[in-house]
């Protein structure tokens, strides 16, 4: 389904803004690593992350996730997760850390007879441990919990959502929030700088 012109324009501007921020931060970063979360890759939701060391104890992590009909399930997800990390031992990308992460996602998922189409955003606290395999290769275990706010359309698979929506009638949108794990991962990273 094509995006409305306004939404397409806003997504394009957001991606340009994110690219500009990443380029400007990476220019001053002391170390840069690319990574992928193996747990999300196993469930056919590929991820690509970029971690930038910004100080003696600090780093910024930017991860993108997405899928399209994994395991023949009618599902489309696109997510962005920035995270600020504090490293305890004074050397980022080594040993334990705590962090604050945000999460923004849009999704369209059909499970059984139900369809969930919406967007969600939230944030929370994370933590993890990094094992250095070599000078450039790392394995990271991470997890986090936070609050996720969502706005979604819920309807049955064979129904037409437009039948539920009118200017005077009831809306089929559901607003809410949940306390959920916002991060769970076993990641492999490669330090490129």
């Amino acid at each position: 389904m094509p995006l409305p012109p306004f939404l397409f324009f806003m997504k394009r501007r957001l991606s340009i803004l994110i690219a500009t921020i990443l380029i400007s931060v990476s220019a001053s970063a002391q170390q840069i690593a690319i990574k992928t979360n193996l747990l999300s890759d196993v469930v056919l939701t590929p991820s690509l992350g970029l971690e930038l060391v910004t100080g003696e104890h600090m780093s910024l992590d930017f991860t993108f996730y997405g899928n399209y009909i994994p395991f023949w399930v009618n599902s489309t997800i696109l997510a962005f997760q920035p995270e600020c990390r504090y490293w305890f031992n004074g050397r980022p990308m080594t040993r334990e850390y705590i962090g604050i992460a945000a999460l923004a996602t849009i999704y369209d998922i059909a499970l059984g007879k139900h369809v969930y189409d919406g967007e969600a955003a939230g944030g929370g606290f994370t933590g993890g441990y990094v094992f250095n395999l070599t000078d450039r290769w790392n394995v990271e275990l991470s997890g986090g919990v936070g609050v996720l706010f969502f706005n979604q359309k819920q309807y049955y698979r064979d129904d037409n959502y437009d039948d539920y929506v009118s200017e005077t009638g009831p809306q089929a949108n559901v607003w809410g929030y949940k306390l959920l794990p916002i991060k769970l991962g076993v990641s492999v990273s490669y330090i490129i700088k």
Side-chain angles (χ1 to χ4, degrees), residues 106-184:
I106 55 175
Y107 55 91
D108 185 3
I109 303 169
L111 295 173
K113 297 178 185 177
H114 301 280
V115 176
Y116 306 94
D117 182 10
E119 57 272 338
F125 299 100
T126 61
Y129 194 92
V130 173
F131 299 94
N132 299 107
L133 302 178
T134 68
D135 289 344
R136 296 202 177 263
W137 288 97
N138 295 336
V139 172
E140 174 186 322
L141 306 176
S142 60
V145 66
V147 176
L148 202 60
F149 297 91
F150 60 90
N151 175 25
Q152 67 185 10
K153 302 170 193 168
Q154 283 182 232
Y155 54 97
Y156 290 103
R157 182 187 297 260
D158 297 328
D159 290 347
N160 182 6
Y161 175 75
D162 294 331
D163 292 342
Y164 289 101
V165 181
S166 69
E167 291 183 20
T168 58
Q171 300 290 316
N173 281 5
V174 176
W175 290 82
Y177 67 93
K178 293 190 181 215
L179 182 65
L180 293 168
I182 61 167
K183 185 165 193 158
L184 186 60

Side-chain angles (χ1 to χ4, degrees), residues 2-193:
L3 293 173
F6 175 74
L7 189 56
F8 176 76
F9 179 71
M10 291 306 293
K11 282 186 175 183
R12 189 172 177 174
R13 293 185 92 187
L14 181 62
S15 59
I16 290 170
L17 176 66
I18 290 169
T20 304
I21 290 170
L22 288 175
I23 289 169
S24 64
V25 170
S26 66
S28 64
Q30 299 168 0
Q31 260 184 333
I32 300 173
I34 56 172
K35 60 174 64 177
T36 186
N37 183 345
L38 298 177
L39 292 183
S40 68
D41 295 344
V42 165
V43 294
L44 299 182
T45 304
S47 67
L48 180 63
L50 182 69
E51 186 164 2
L52 311 165
V53 174
T54 58
E56 196 171 300
H57 290 275
M58 301 295 293
S59 70
L60 297 174
D61 184 71
F62 302 96
T63 305
F64 297 89
Y65 299 90
N67 72 21
Y68 181 73
I69 310 180
F71 298 110
W72 302 278
V73 173
N74 191 2
S75 166
T76 304
I77 296 172
L78 185 61
F80 172 61
Q81 187 169 43
E83 181 180 6
C84 181
R85 296 177 170 184
Y86 177 83
W87 297 85
F88 287 106
N89 75 338
R91 182 176 164 223
M93 293 193 245
T94 301
R95 297 184 38 192
E96 62 276 340
Y97 71 88
I98 58 171
I100 297 174
L103 177 64
T105 183
I106 55 175
Y107 55 91
D108 185 3
I109 303 169
L111 295 173
K113 297 178 185 177
H114 301 280
V115 176
Y116 306 94
D117 182 10
E119 57 272 338
F125 299 100
T126 61
Y129 194 92
V130 173
F131 299 94
N132 299 107
L133 302 178
T134 68
D135 289 344
R136 296 202 177 263
W137 288 97
N138 295 336
V139 172
E140 174 186 322
L141 306 176
S142 60
V145 66
V147 176
L148 202 60
F149 297 91
F150 60 90
N151 175 25
Q152 67 185 10
K153 302 170 193 168
Q154 283 182 232
Y155 54 97
Y156 290 103
R157 182 187 297 260
D158 297 328
D159 290 347
N160 182 6
Y161 175 75
D162 294 331
D163 292 342
Y164 289 101
V165 181
S166 69
E167 291 183 20
T168 58
Q171 300 290 316
N173 281 5
V174 176
W175 290 82
Y177 67 93
K178 293 190 181 215
L179 182 65
L180 293 168
I182 61 167
K183 185 165 193 158
L184 186 60
V186 176
S187 301
V188 174
S189 64
Y190 179 76
I191 299 172
I192 57 177
K193 175 183 169 187

